[in-house]
Amino acid sequence: MFNPNILCVDIGGTLVKAATVNASGVLISDFITTQTPKPSTPDALVDLISDVVKTLPTFGRVSVGFPGVVGRDHIKTAPNLGTHHWNEFDLEAALQRTFGVPVRVLNDAIVYGLGIAQGPGRECVLTFGTGMGCALFCNGSAFFGLELGQHYANDDLNYDQYIGHAAYLALGDDAWNERAKHVLAKVQALTNVDHLFIGGGNSRRINFALPPWASVVPPASGIAGGARLWRSEMDQWFRQTNDLVGAPTESR
């Protein structure tokens, strides 16, 4: 019998988070949070995910947010996990073999943003964590392939390095917040969005008054994005190469 629940996994450079949601994106379990293994090889991540979900409610589909550029059938980059480990790795197929249910994998900032950006208008979602994730949306639809974290914030540092967690530890609270303020202004000038949402673990460290076009969102806000991966309008971004994808299956 088809199980409509969805396992949502957020892979980060520091933490891996997992929870089960219903088809509407409502949490039906607590989050399980574990340290990202080092080295962060595909085998290590797949084994970790397989282990941590054993205590979660059963599910019939899996949605994964991955910190890098995700192609239709393989990972292209993984700046904070090691691209040399992940380049051309088929994470979707590996997890599908592990769980025996359909799997969809997409950039983590996009998946997070799908739970937040509903439109109307132009919206941007930034995630401040190990690095900086960025996703753009127009009327709730995402632009795919943007990796602003790898663009240079100044002559020496890309945005991952400029505002990521290592920078926070090196700079301290006040100096990091000055950088965060600068990043928000630069991203707004670049994108001209109607609203900019800030998430990720380090968003809680923001201590300055935000402009009216920006707001911090709670960490769990993006969980519904995992459910949105399975809506029909998202089908175009995923391969349809086997009978599991998009079809009712036995649950885990």
Side-chain angles (χ1 to χ4, degrees):
M1 184 174 67
F2 176 60
N3 184 334
N5 295 338
I6 301 164
L7 169 67
C8 296
V9 180
D10 178 31
I11 299 174
T14 303
L15 297 172
V16 175
K17 291 171 279 188
T20 303
V21 303
N22 64 20
S24 299
V26 178
L27 276 168
I28 59 172
S29 77
D30 293 330
F31 277 96
I32 294 179
T33 302
T34 57
Q35 292 287 325
T36 303
K38 305 296 182 186
S40 305
T41 64
D43 285 347
L45 259 297
V46 171
D47 287 347
L48 175 68
I49 294 168
S50 178
D51 186 57
V52 300
V53 304
K54 291 176 180 176
T55 60
L56 292 174
T58 59
F59 50 86
R61 292 170 290 183
V62 179
S63 295
V64 179
F66 185 86
V69 176
V70 180
R72 189 177 294 273
D73 56 6
H74 62 266
I75 303 298
K76 293 185 175 181
T77 69
N80 293 306
L81 298 178
T83 294
H84 60 291
H85 293 311
W86 287 90
N87 186 37
E88 299 191 0
F89 182 76
D90 192 340
L91 180 59
E92 178 184 301
L95 289 175
Q96 195 160 279
R97 288 192 300 269
T98 298
F99 294 120
V101 300
V103 177
R104 287 185 168 180
V105 181
L106 206 58
N107 171 267
D108 57 344
I110 295 177
V111 177
Y112 187 78
L114 285 170
I116 298 166
Q118 305 292 328
R122 301 181 305 274
E123 297 164 293
C124 178
V125 175
L126 291 182
T127 56
F128 290 163
T130 306
M132 187 189 83
C134 179
L136 295 176
F137 298 84
C138 184
N139 294 327
S141 296
F143 174 82
F144 291 79
L146 179 68
E147 268 288 82
L148 188 60
Q150 300 306 297
H151 185 68
Y152 274 75
N154 59 26
D155 289 340
D156 302 313
L157 303 173
N158 63 29
Y159 279 98
D160 274 2
Q161 298 162 334
Y162 185 78
I163 199 63
H165 190 61
Y168 175 81
L169 294 177
L171 294 168
D173 203 63
D174 290 342
W176 183 87
N177 269 275
E178 285 302 312
R179 283 194 178 182
K181 190 182 301 184
H182 177 71
V183 167
L184 297 186
K186 294 282 282 187
V187 172
Q188 171 62 9
L190 174 68
T191 62
N192 295 293
V193 291
D194 299 306
H195 200 82
L196 190 153
F197 299 97
I198 311 153
N202 279 347
S203 63
R204 70 182 188 277
R205 305 186 190 279
I206 291 176
N207 63 16
F208 55 89
L210 292 169
W213 43 262
S215 58
V216 173
V217 292
S221 298
I223 193 66
R228 280 193 69 190
L229 283 194
W230 293 97
R231 293 186 184 177
S232 59
E233 67 266 21
M234 298 297 295
D235 289 349
Q236 63 182 310
W237 300 109
F238 299 95
R239 61 185 177 195
Q240 308 287 312
T241 56
N242 62 64
D243 293 336
L244 278 176
V245 177
T249 70
E250 295 296 322
S251 64
R252 175 187 66 84

